[in-house]
Amino acid sequence: MALRDQIRIMVVDDMSTSRGLITQALDAFGIRNVASTSDGPTALKTLETSPVHLVISDYNMPDMDGLQLLHKLRTGAKTKGVGFILITGKADKAIIEHGRKLGMNNFLKKPFEPKDLQACIEAVVGRL
Amino acid sequence: MTDINDPMAEIRASFFIECEELLEALQDGLQELADGSEDAETINVVFRAVHSIKGGAGAFGLEPLVRFAHRYETVLDEVRNHRLTATSDAQKVFFQCADHLSDLVRICRDDQPIPVAEGEALLTALNALLGDEHEEEEVTAEDFQPLGVALSLDLPDLDIEAEPETPCFDIVFRPGQDLFATGNEPQMLLRNLAALGEAEITCDLSTLPPLDQLAPETPYFQWNIRLTADISEAEIREVFEFVEGLCELEVTASGVDVPVPEIVDEPPASEPEIIVEAPIVAAPVVEDAPVELKVIEPEAAAPSASAAGAQKNNAGPKSVVRVDLERIERMVNLVGELVINQAMLAQSLDQAGLSPHSDAMNGLEEFQRLTRDIQDSVMMIRAQPVKSLFQRMSRIVRESSAAVGKDVRLLTEGEGTEVDKTVIERLSDPLTHMIRNAVDHGLEKTAADREAAGKSGTGEVRLTAAHRSGRVIIEVSDDGAGIDRPRVLSIAKSKNLIPQDANLSDSEIDNLLFLPGFSTASQVSDLSGRGVGMDVVRTSIQQLGGRITITSERGKGTTFSISLPLTLAVLDGMVINVADETLVLPLNVVVETLSLGANDVQMLRPGEFVVRVRGGFVPLYDLGVMLGYRSPRETHEGSIVLLISLEDGNRAALVIDGIQDQRQVVIKGLDDSFYRAPGIAAATILGDGQIALILDPTDVIAAATPNRIMDKPMPERKVANE
């Protein structure tokens, strides 16, 4: 079985359009196990019981931004090993640097093409 | 309509819907800032709204939108990070940018060409706010070394360090030919094995030969065991120590036995109108359990702290489904048909002479109740708060006050008042016109004029909405100089709109503003004088089954009041007889019914009567005479009278000939080709297929007031082709 058949991914974005775009792209890659949620706290709660291999999260979200989510993931016993890709509208140096320190696996600047997303994911998990 | 087979088109459509919500949040946030909000979250909300629009626009390659949103967002980011102060001038730019952004969204949505000039001025204004070159330091993908992650596809490593899970072994135990002969008993072995941990044992019968070939002393079975136990492989092999060589034993560590949590996929895109979100089900789902699909509100994308809290309590998020308006329209029409059909059925059952206690009649009653419930529910679907409409008006105020150089503030009230969606849509144009009028004509020309009149230099336009006696009242008022009646009168005379010798009351003069071709602006201004007068406004309101009235006080201001029906579809009516006609009166205006005695009626002067109702006097009108169905009667003794409440709070008594029934009627609009007969709001079809006119009582009374010049039937002017 190819990696894409088995990998589980969670998409976190407060904008349903963005969630739709990402999940649509993942679907086009043949990735079937995709969950999505609109905010960090829900993502954390869900990941406790339904672990995934990779979290793809937007940076700019109310209440808990992408890096705050990453921090929570890295300090959570069950989630510290999960892959994390940050989607950001602005690849601000400070944000990326902060992300690197927190153990961000990769980032992707919006807007992106599906192939960019694929390359970004493959850089983290290997060939899909 | 989007192509349902194209998921991208669907996402694009949902993006524009989401944009409307973001733009609304943006407006709200900017307004809060303008009102002096100190909350840091306010500017965050404003920033995020623009940022999200930019993000989505980028995905769909809407370059002009991205470009503008990007610059706007950059400035907002500076404000957010306290590097820039949102002065009132800056806020003005922000509002204009929000307006422009909303234009761009609409233009992109409708694939229209982008007007270049407008945005450039705002971009320049934004750049000016940023001051010296603003450095944006961005990281490129090359600068970042992606960090690989070791994947275990059973997900054990995610948990292994945290909480060592119990190892799991797959064991295959295949007894050899001599196992029984040596006195070994597989059952004992399996029992010992099971004692080590949790064992799932299945017996494989596939090697069992047909009965005629079966040797009784030969073992044929083999067992597959899945053992979950915190032990080593050696400990497992120990169990089989005594049968070593007498059996085949395979032990494989199969890793951590994690129960596979169900993950719900995004549902396949098939219905573009309904956005269903499938979040991961929170609890692990038992295998074979049906997959649970929750419908959550896409807008819950920005959950407030309390909403998040509610979710934690497992209360479940509020469900929202987006539905194509056409489907609702169809439902409304069907409900209309249902109501008519129910009335017809009631009529035939009645004519069949059934006892009111018969099953059929009881069933009918239940049917009527259900019909009413369905109708209410359907109407509720169509109801929307007027907030979006009011937000649009705040833009009109900003633009029009800037155009005429006045300082104007818009106050709104009752934004949450719900009105039928169609009504909201069709109110936009008339309200726009009224707001422009209020800013342009209503308010004094200069701040100095206002201050001379003892008012603040900033003019005030007030927009309110409220529910009152089953109707929606929307008012536009200004605190300007009020209507200059002598001037209005002289203009009307000079344009030959009224006879030169006409002697009019104040309210009649005010109403001259509604005459076609009336315009008080001495010169056509940029704003209101576009050849569209208040007469067009009035026509649009009347087409919605509404009324518009005007009150003005010299020096204090002018108020336009629009009264609209709550719904355009169905009405609770009282079916009455007048002369030989069947008419319908809205039930909510009827206070009580009376039968007139000999001494109840008093004549004030010929043709004017009042009726005594519990110590008070109420003016009496003969509906048949008012509508021209018959000539006045000698006496009203014995007549049936309906006591009705009018919108201005007064009461009136209407003489009618009989009451047939109370029932729901479906409102059918009268064609534009009819003259607007005063007092007639619409028509309906009754149970027997007969057509009956629906009265507007306030209008009937108004039309009956003597010397009215305004409500003579006038040829309708079409506002727009519908």
Side-chain angles (χ1 to χ4, degrees):
Chain A
M1 280 212 293
L3 180 57
R4 61 170 172 271
D5 295 318
Q6 298 168 67
I7 190 168
R8 291 160 201 266
I9 297 181
M10 173 176 278
V11 178
V12 189
D13 198 312
D14 60 320
M15 225 184 142
S16 74
T17 307
S18 308
R19 283 201 303 279
L21 284 168
I22 298 171
T23 51
Q24 172 62 35
L26 295 177
D27 190 62
F29 305 156
I31 297 173
R32 298 285 173 248
N33 290 319
V34 178
S36 70
T37 176
S38 64
D39 63 290
T42 311
L44 287 168
K45 196 170 173 344
T46 311
L47 288 173
E48 261 179 43
T49 47
S50 310
V52 297
H53 302 103
L54 181 66
V55 172
I56 299 177
S57 170
D58 186 32
Y59 170 68
N60 217 311
M61 295 186 290
D63 297 333
M64 183 188 282
D65 70 33
L67 290 184
Q68 285 168 333
L69 171 63
L70 173 60
H71 177 70
K72 291 266 183 194
L73 288 172
R74 289 290 178 255
T75 48
K78 291 187 175 183
T79 53
K80 62 181 168 191
V82 70
F84 187 92
I85 292 176
L86 187 74
I87 307 276
T88 168
K90 204 167 119 188
D92 192 276
K93 201 171 181 179
I95 295 173
I96 301 304
E97 196 47 45
H98 187 201
R100 191 205 306 269
K101 282 187 183 137
L102 287 174
M104 173 174 87
N105 297 85
N106 210 347
F107 80 94
L108 187 59
K109 188 177 173 311
K110 284 193 274 193
F112 53 82
E113 292 289 319
K115 63 173 168 46
D116 303 331
L117 179 63
Q118 184 170 0
C120 181
I121 295 172
E122 288 187 336
V124 176
V125 301
R127 196 168 164 73
L128 285 173
Chain B
M1 283 300 288
T2 52
D3 179 359
I4 54 171
N5 294 317
D6 182 357
M8 281 305 280
E10 189 195 332
I11 297 174
R12 190 176 190 271
S14 91
F15 165 66
F16 286 113
I17 296 174
E18 204 159 18
C19 274
E20 293 299 323
E21 288 152 15
L22 292 166
L23 287 167
E24 198 171 293
L26 173 61
Q27 284 283 359
D28 281 351
L30 287 176
Q31 193 56 52
E32 275 176 43
L33 284 183
D35 293 344
S37 162
E38 300 280 334
D39 189 352
E41 185 53 22
T42 310
I43 182 71
N44 277 336
V45 168
V46 168
F47 170 81
R48 257 200 312 274
V50 179
H51 181 81
S52 296
I53 290 175
K54 185 189 95 170
F60 300 107
L62 307 171
E63 279 312 320
L65 188 51
V66 173
R67 196 169 136 247
F68 185 78
H70 177 69
R71 192 32 56 104
Y72 189 12
E73 165 202 274
T74 309
V75 177
L76 291 172
D77 199 25
E78 293 293 292
V79 176
R80 191 166 73 132
N81 295 320
H82 306 291
R83 291 193 290 261
L84 188 73
T85 317
T87 59
S88 70
D89 279 345
Q91 285 181 11
K92 214 168 266 177
V93 174
F94 291 166
F95 269 117
Q96 287 170 344
C97 287
D99 293 342
H100 184 62
L101 193 64
S102 115
D103 287 345
L104 283 177
V105 166
R106 222 148 286 152
I107 287 168
C108 289
R109 183 191 60 198
D110 303 341
D111 283 328
Q112 284 168 350
I114 311 267
V116 186
E118 250 178 85
E120 290 307 322
L122 285 170
L123 282 174
T124 312
L126 287 171
N127 285 339
L129 286 173
L130 279 178
D132 47 345
E133 317 83 88
H134 178 76
E135 280 287 325
E136 284 181 42
E137 208 172 358
E138 292 217 36
V139 181
T140 56
E142 288 76 42
D143 297 340
F144 185 86
Q145 184 57 49
L147 216 61
V149 58
L151 290 187
S152 167
L153 291 167
D154 293 328
L155 289 178
D157 64 339
L158 288 181
D159 302 333
I160 234 162
E161 291 171 279
E163 220 177 79
E165 295 276 343
T166 327
C168 175
F169 300 90
D170 278 324
I171 304 157
V172 181
F173 170 48
R174 211 172 291 124
Q177 289 284 330
D178 303 325
L179 190 87
F180 292 157
T182 51
N184 285 297
E185 167 64 63
Q187 201 189 341
M188 288 292 290
L189 294 165
L190 293 173
R191 200 174 290 159
N192 290 342
L193 191 64
L196 292 175
E198 215 174 297
E200 237 177 85
I201 304 171
T202 46
C203 183
D204 184 354
L205 305 175
S206 58
T207 49
L208 191 68
L211 193 60
D212 54 351
Q213 294 166 25
L214 189 120
E217 287 178 9
T218 307
Y220 292 104
F221 298 170
Q222 87 172 40
W223 283 272
N224 300 318
I225 306 116
R226 172 164 267 232
L227 180 69
T228 312
D230 194 7
I231 49 169
S232 66
E233 193 180 321
E235 284 174 88
I236 295 171
R237 293 200 177 271
E238 237 170 60
V239 175
F240 297 92
E241 205 180 345
F242 298 109
V243 291
E244 217 175 341
L246 296 171
C247 71
E248 284 174 53
L249 186 67
E250 289 167 26
V251 181
T252 36
S254 63
V256 176
D257 185 19
V258 180
V260 178
E262 202 96 357
I263 295 188
V264 182
D265 282 352
E266 285 277 301
S270 57
E271 293 281 319
E273 294 83 12
I274 302 181
I275 294 169
V276 178
E277 297 248 335
I280 299 178
V281 283
V285 173
V286 188
E287 248 174 353
D288 295 332
V291 173
E292 194 184 346
L293 259 189
K294 280 181 196 157
V295 181
I296 67 156
E297 187 179 14
E299 292 82 342
S304 62
S306 63
Q311 281 187 9
K312 268 179 208 141
N313 295 339
N314 244 349
K318 194 172 123 196
S319 304
V320 167
V321 177
R322 287 191 180 126
V323 181
D324 191 344
L325 188 62
E326 259 174 56
R327 297 185 185 189
I328 298 177
E329 296 291 353
R330 225 180 90 207
M331 219 157 112
V332 170
N333 288 336
L334 285 174
V335 169
E337 296 302 314
L338 183 67
V339 171
I340 292 176
N341 249 288
Q342 174 233 286
M344 288 182 171
L345 183 62
Q347 188 128 355
S348 359
L349 284 177
D350 192 46
Q351 281 164 358
L354 289 173
S355 143
H357 305 296
S358 64
D359 285 350
M361 292 309 256
N362 286 336
L364 181 69
E365 214 168 279
E366 183 74 357
F367 181 37
Q368 278 170 344
R369 201 179 53 74
L370 287 173
T371 310
R372 176 175 305 259
D373 285 354
I374 291 175
Q375 184 227 319
D376 286 350
S377 312
V378 172
M379 290 307 146
M380 245 185 274
I381 298 176
R382 291 186 49 90
Q384 282 188 333
V386 292
K387 186 176 177 189
S388 59
L389 182 65
F390 279 18
Q391 273 195 344
R392 249 175 286 161
M393 292 309 129
S394 80
R395 173 178 184 176
I396 302 295
V397 168
R398 278 198 301 280
E399 288 176 351
S400 54
S401 59
V404 295
K406 292 180 185 177
D407 198 6
V408 184
R409 187 164 50 150
L410 176 74
L411 299 175
T412 57
E413 208 177 284
E415 288 190 328
T417 309
E418 292 198 332
V419 186
D420 189 277
K421 185 178 161 59
T422 311
V423 175
I424 288 185
E425 280 163 6
R426 288 168 61 181
L427 266 180
S428 181
D429 283 349
L431 264 191
T432 301
H433 192 78
M434 289 161 72
I435 294 274
R436 281 186 179 148
N437 260 336
V439 171
D440 196 9
H441 305 312
L443 295 173
E444 292 87 346
K445 282 211 163 46
T446 63
D449 289 350
R450 289 182 58 85
E451 277 151 15
K455 302 178 198 173
S456 118
T458 305
E460 240 177 53
V461 173
R462 192 178 280 271
L463 184 57
T464 64
H467 283 155
R468 210 176 295 157
S469 49
R471 289 176 79 91
V472 181
I473 312 291
I474 293 177
E475 290 190 343
V476 177
S477 51
D478 62 67
D479 68 343
I483 291 172
D484 186 349
R485 295 196 176 102
R487 201 162 143 256
V488 169
L489 198 58
S490 78
I491 289 173
K493 284 179 181 169
S494 75
K495 293 190 172 179
N496 280 327
L497 297 169
I498 51 168
Q500 296 302 318
D501 55 353
N503 185 13
L504 304 180
S505 70
D506 281 357
S507 122
E508 282 164 352
I509 294 173
D510 294 347
N511 277 296
L512 290 173
L513 296 182
F514 292 120
L515 284 183
F518 188 94
S519 173
T520 54
S522 23
Q523 56 192 27
V524 172
S525 78
D526 219 11
L527 270 184
S528 24
R530 283 184 183 150
V532 186
M534 284 303 291
D535 62 315
V536 177
V537 169
R538 186 167 70 152
T539 308
S540 330
I541 302 296
Q542 284 169 348
Q543 281 171 344
L544 287 171
R547 247 189 319 278
I548 179 165
T549 54
I550 178 171
T551 50
S552 180
E553 199 176 331
R554 196 87 191 113
K556 294 266 177 66
T558 307
T559 299
F560 286 90
S561 181
I562 300 173
S563 154
L564 292 162
L566 273 181
T567 150
L568 304 176
V570 186
L571 169 94
D572 270 323
M574 180 176 268
V575 185
I576 56 173
N577 292 339
V578 177
D580 291 328
E581 301 290 331
T582 306
L583 299 168
V584 176
L585 204 62
L587 194 57
N588 56 36
V589 304
V590 179
V591 180
E592 60 181 289
T593 48
L594 312 163
S595 182
L596 290 185
N599 302 322
D600 289 340
V601 181
Q602 312 235 327
M603 186 167 79
L604 294 181
R605 62 180 81 107
E608 263 187 84
F609 298 91
V610 289
V611 59
R612 187 199 299 271
V613 180
R614 283 189 284 275
F617 289 97
V618 175
L620 182 74
Y621 302 93
D622 188 330
L623 201 52
V625 177
M626 284 156 81
L627 296 173
Y629 290 157
R630 58 171 145 75
S631 46
R633 285 176 174 161
E634 295 286 311
T635 171
H636 290 300
E637 195 184 332
S639 299
I640 298 171
V641 162
L642 293 180
L643 188 63
I644 59 170
S645 70
L646 303 176
E647 261 162 53
D648 53 13
N650 291 326
R651 290 181 170 196
L654 292 180
V655 177
I656 59 167
D657 297 344
I659 298 173
Q660 279 189 17
D661 199 0
Q662 289 178 10
R663 73 164 74 125
Q664 289 191 307
V665 295
V666 179
I667 300 172
K668 302 277 180 191
L670 291 170
D671 195 272
D672 281 351
S673 54
F674 287 108
Y675 267 17
R676 208 190 84 78
I680 307 298
T684 188
I685 302 168
L686 297 175
D688 55 4
Q690 197 191 147
I691 290 171
L693 295 174
I694 301 174
L695 298 178
D696 177 344
T698 303
D699 205 26
V700 171
I701 305 296
T705 313
N707 301 328
R708 299 268 306 194
I709 59 157
M710 296 312 310
D711 283 309
K712 281 182 196 146
M714 275 182 275
E716 290 287 89
R717 275 173 48 173
K718 277 202 168 182
V719 180
N721 292 328
E722 287 182 47

